[in-house]
């Protein structure tokens, strides 16, 4: 990994460190559940989260406070920003399965990705529907009319200029790289110089990236 490409990570780590020092942000550690619990309790005023947490936040805040949404912040004024879509996937594994099993799997995939089911998925969680026709479903339209918070991420996605960065992450050692980034940010929050912390994180993952690259064809 080329550390020269990690300057964005240093800016984020510096931002986190400064907010913790100034008492503007609590240090909840690495557990997502802990950070979510603070927000749901109304203790934390803002939380950067997946769109899939939105419905849970609305339900938790009902009768206590109003949950509003906004686009993700930009690192610089010239940065177009934008969300990165991703997450779990549905796969059909062919070898070792009968034609009937593979056919049943395909029928389930078609069902799960239908406009009706994707509308239920969108309104029930906040996740992006993978089928754009879901947004035309009466139930979805009625829901976002009542809760416009569910349109923020979709609007930002539509306004995002396609680039290598916004197209998603392709990384053969994703779990290890995620942990390295988490470790770097955690060290910065605890007081390590952000530049040193993120450089150490980049250096720690480089051998694993090199090893992975040797196992695949260019």
């Amino acid at each position: 990994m080329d550390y020269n490409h990690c300057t964005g990570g240093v800016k984020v780590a510096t931002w986190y460190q400064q907010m913790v020092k100034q008492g503007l942000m609590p240090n909840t550690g690495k557990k997502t559940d802990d950070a979510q619990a603070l927000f749901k309790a109304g203790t934390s005023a803002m939380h950067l989260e997946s769109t899939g947490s939105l419905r849970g936040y609305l339900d938790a805040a009902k009768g206590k406070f109003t949950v509003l949404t906004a686009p993700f912040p930009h690192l610089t004024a010239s940065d177009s920003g934008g969300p990165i879509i991703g997450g779990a996937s549905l796969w059909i594994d062919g070898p070792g399965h009968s034609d009937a099993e593979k056919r049943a799997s395909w029928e389930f995939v078609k069902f799960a990705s239908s406009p009706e089911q994707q509308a239920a998925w969108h309104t029930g969680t906040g996740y992006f529907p993978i089928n754009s026709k879901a947004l035309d479903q009466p139930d979805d339209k009625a829901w976002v009319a009542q809760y416009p918070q569910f349109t923020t991420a979709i609007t930002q996605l539509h306004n995002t200029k396609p680039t290598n960065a916004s197209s998603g992450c392709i990384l053969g050692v994703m779990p290890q790289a995620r942990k390295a980034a988490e470790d770097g940010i955690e060290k910065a929050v605890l007081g390590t110089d952000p530049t040193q912390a993120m450089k150490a994180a980049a250096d720690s993952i480089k051998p694993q990236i090199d090893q992975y690259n040797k196992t695949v064809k260019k």
Side-chain angles (χ1 to χ4, degrees), residues 156-215:
Q156 188 175 23
L157 177 64
H158 289 171
N159 292 338
T160 300
K161 296 180 181 179
T163 65
N164 288 338
S166 66
S167 296
C169 182
I170 302 178
L171 186 59
V173 291
M174 183 64 190
Q176 298 92 325
R178 184 195 297 269
K179 184 180 183 304
E182 290 175 348
D183 290 344
I185 292 176
E186 182 179 51
K187 288 179 181 178
V189 168
L190 294 176
T192 301
D193 176 74
T195 299
Q196 295 179 359
M198 298 313 291
K199 184 179 187 304
D203 290 343
S204 71
I205 196 63
K206 186 178 185 303
Q208 298 175 71
I209 294 176
D210 291 342
Q211 179 61 36
Y212 173 80
N213 288 339
K214 292 179 181 178
T215 66

Side-chain angles (χ1 to χ4, degrees), residues 84-192:
I84 297 177
I85 53 176
S89 305
L90 289 176
W91 298 83
I92 298 177
D93 185 13
H97 295 279
S98 67
D99 289 343
E101 289 174 328
K102 287 184 284 188
R103 185 64 188 180
S105 299
W106 173 236
E107 293 299 329
F108 174 75
V109 170
K110 288 195 295 182
F111 165 79
S113 59
S114 67
E116 295 82 5
Q117 295 306 314
Q118 284 299 300
W121 175 254
H122 176 222
T123 59
T125 64
Y127 276 118
F128 292 106
I130 63 169
N131 190 330
S132 61
K133 293 181 179 179
L135 301 176
D136 297 325
Q137 293 294 305
D139 289 348
D140 198 286
K141 283 187 172 183
W143 181 262
V144 299
Q146 184 177 2
Y147 300 102
Q149 301 96 316
F150 282 70
T151 65
T152 302
I154 293 176
T155 299
Q156 188 175 23
L157 177 64
H158 289 171
N159 292 338
T160 300
K161 296 180 181 179
T163 65
N164 288 338
S166 66
S167 296
C169 182
I170 302 178
L171 186 59
V173 291
M174 183 64 190
Q176 298 92 325
R178 184 195 297 269
K179 184 180 183 304
E182 290 175 348
D183 290 344
I185 292 176
E186 182 179 51
K187 288 179 181 178
V189 168
L190 294 176
T192 301

